[in-house]
Amino acid sequence: MKYSLQLNILFSSLFALISFTQAEEVLIAEEFKAYQFSSNDVVGWNQKTVKLCEQTSFQDFSKGNMFGVFAKETPNLQKIYQNLPPHWSLSVRVDVLLYKSVDNEKVNVVLDGTTYKTYQKDKYDGVKICLGSTSYNDQLYFFQKNITHTNSQLNLQFTSNFDQDNSDEGFGIKNLSVRVDTCHPSCATCSGPSQNQCQSCPNKGTLQNGACTCPSMGIAHNYQCLNQCPQGFQPDSTNSFCVETFCNPSKCSKCDSNGQSCSQCANGYYQFRKGCVQQCPSFAPQQGQTCQDPSKSTPNGDYLLIGLNSNNFGESEIAALGLQLSNFNQATFGNCGSVQLLGGPFIGGKGSQILKTFQNIKPHFQVRFGFQYYQIDSWDSEGFKVYVDTNQIDEIKQDQAGGKDNLCGSNSWKDNFYSYSKSIQHNSQSLEIKLNATFDEDYFNESFGIRELFVIVDYCPPGCASCDSNQCFKCFDGYQKSGTKCVNTCADDEFSLNKVCNKCDSTCKSCKDTAQFCTSCNSGRYLYQNQCLEKCPDNYFNNSLNNMCSQCSIGDCPLCLPPGYSSSCKNCSGLKIISNKCPK
Ligand SMILES: *[C@@H]1O[C@H](CO)[C@@H](O)[C@H](O)[C@H]1NC(C)=O
Ligand SMILES: *[C@@H]1O[C@H](CO)[C@@H](O)[C@H](O)[C@H]1NC(C)=O
Ligand SMILES: *[C@@H]1O[C@H](CO)[C@@H](O)[C@H](O)[C@H]1NC(C)=O
Ligand SMILES: *[C@@H]1O[C@H](CO)[C@@H](O)[C@H](O)[C@H]1NC(C)=O
Ligand SMILES: *[C@@H]1O[C@H](CO)[C@@H](O)[C@H](O)[C@H]1NC(C)=O
Ligand SMILES: *[C@@H]1O[C@H](CO)[C@@H](O)[C@H](O)[C@H]1NC(C)=O
Ligand SMILES: [Ca+2]
Ligand SMILES: [Ca+2]
């Protein structure tokens, strides 16, 4: 089995978290997701039965396949997933269909011997999803369970107690995925994602206070001790494990010398933020080999949150984004056609709410956020209300005319997807963004999903404590306000008063405390008693070396030239000059 490793989460606040922990959500397996598949696609299970559904009402099952039907003959369906990478948490997400004349028999979902869910229905419960024409119904359930798990194998079982064979009743499964949250790459086993949560160490490493150290000269990478980091990785600041750089040659053809960013991506990759991605997010449209990053359209814009961009994010990424979800139907994520959604068909719907709160946001004047949302099935002038800091700022609505293709859910209604983004003036330290669904029918009639979520904050310029898009109103301590900006020190021709830089009088080159108190002069002016004069007073000469009035150096001489001139003293108040000096 090949693990598809990927960094699902790219964002500033969480990027810090991820690069600190170096642990990530890894998709272990994804099965029975195709609309059609055969027994040959069933790998590692103790059964191979595949059913072609007869009904045509639901896109996923309409003449599509499911793994099943399993009944009396197969009381124990199971697969053992082996060689899981070191991890501390595991999640299983699967759609379970109770088929036809199930009459209170039970289907249990069992992980490593523990039953986490039991499904049960009456033969008339549900709707016609897969079964052939009959007076009975099918019921679809969405299993999602997240457990603490460290073992390198998982035994996934579906046990049942049917008394008829699979032409009459039973269950089938679709859209199965297994994910783990991996350990820090320096551990062999762990209790959590951090570097100091190791429970055992890889080859010859030593464990101390939860952290593993490789033998001298060794460095940890991918749960092993190596002599050096492989290409595309470099030692972390403590020289104990390898971190991915932005210089992986398969993705980046030109990176900066310390690997902190890529300036030219390899073919098939597009520059986004500091690295290279295979596909630009929809809010950052591709242009040439770069994604047009909206955070860069303003001088101090940056992501506060960015996620749900991949096609296999799971519960771990949703949790890491800090999204609080309520009233989702059984699970929190699903698929619509080829994309992964938070919510999804039959899962996000009536009463669902998505809430995200942020605290301690640095001074800013604007917040921009957005996502893609999927209209699934019978929306009739419905969608969701968008709240910012408890104020409703928008209502997103679509109706059935907006449906374009049948992407997922029910075949009776066409579906569609849209980009939503909003820019709001905002400056408080905390921010709450909330989406409240406005549907009036249940999850099976109308549902929604979102993906590609971002929140960009337009921060005040450095040193500025309060601003709008044009100017700074107040600077932090240690900073002075200069025009529209905050600076450490005022410009040469400014003086600081009450932390504001003011222009000096135009005659001064620099000044202090007041505009008129010059401390140096521009050329053509000469400093005398903190004024910049055009002409120096008696007994001083225009010193153009430093633009100051310098004292005549020879005797009492009201009008002199700079010392060194052949006749320095030019006028002795009417008295006769003797040897370039004025008589005493
Ligand atoms: C399980 O849930 C916890 C808490 O929400 C989360 O931190 C973790 O990432 C989840 N694990 C998986 C594999 O989804
Ligand atoms: C199952 O996966 C298919 C293909 O990705 C998708 O169209 C369908 O909507 C999924 N079902 C659910 C309930 O997510
Ligand atoms: C939004 O939805 C939540 C959960 O359904 C509900 O408790 C809350 O009252 C709703 N908020 C508004 C403003 O409608
Ligand atoms: C769901 O749609 C069906 C078919 O249009 C309709 O009969 C039923 O009343 C709807 N359910 C709800 C809860 O509105
Ligand atoms: C000083 O400069 C002013 C203006 O250029 C000039 O009028 C004056 O004569 C100069 N004085 C001396 C002593 O050179
Ligand atoms: C020298 O000083 C006298 C009196 O102060 C003045 O009348 C005269 O014009 C001055 N001469 C020159 C060349 O500046
Ligand atoms: Ca549909
Ligand atoms: Ca409706």
Side-chain angles (χ1 to χ4, degrees), residues 7-24 243-246 259-261 272-275 302-306 320-321:
L7 195 63
N8 286 333
I9 310 177
L10 328 127
F11 31 74
S12 42
S13 56
L14 285 162
F15 193 76
L17 172 107
I18 292 300
S19 53
F20 168 69
T21 65
Q22 294 292 308
E24 56 193 3
V243 289
E244 192 169 7
T245 68
F246 289 105
Q260 298 303 298
S261 67
F272 181 54
R273 308 190 70 203
K274 290 177 173 172
D302 201 0
Y303 290 91
L304 191 57
L305 186 81
I306 174 169
L321 290 170

Side-chain angles (χ1 to χ4, degrees), residues 25 88-91 146-147 179-181 314-317 319-320:
E25 182 177 53
W88 54 277
S89 177
L90 178 145
S91 75
N146 166 326
I147 56 171
R179 293 174 179 78
V180 294
D181 275 346
E315 194 176 332
S316 167
E317 178 167 336

Side-chain angles (χ1 to χ4, degrees), residues 378-382 400 438-441 445-446:
S378 92
W379 291 30
D380 32 20
S381 216
E382 297 159 302
Q400 286 157 33
T438 56
F439 306 106
D440 60 351
E441 295 164 57
N445 282 25
E446 46 196 17

Side-chain angles (χ1 to χ4, degrees), residues 427-438:
N427 55 26
S428 92
Q429 280 195 356
S430 65
L431 169 68
E432 180 183 280
I433 298 175
K434 188 167 72 178
L435 304 181
N436 260 28
T438 56

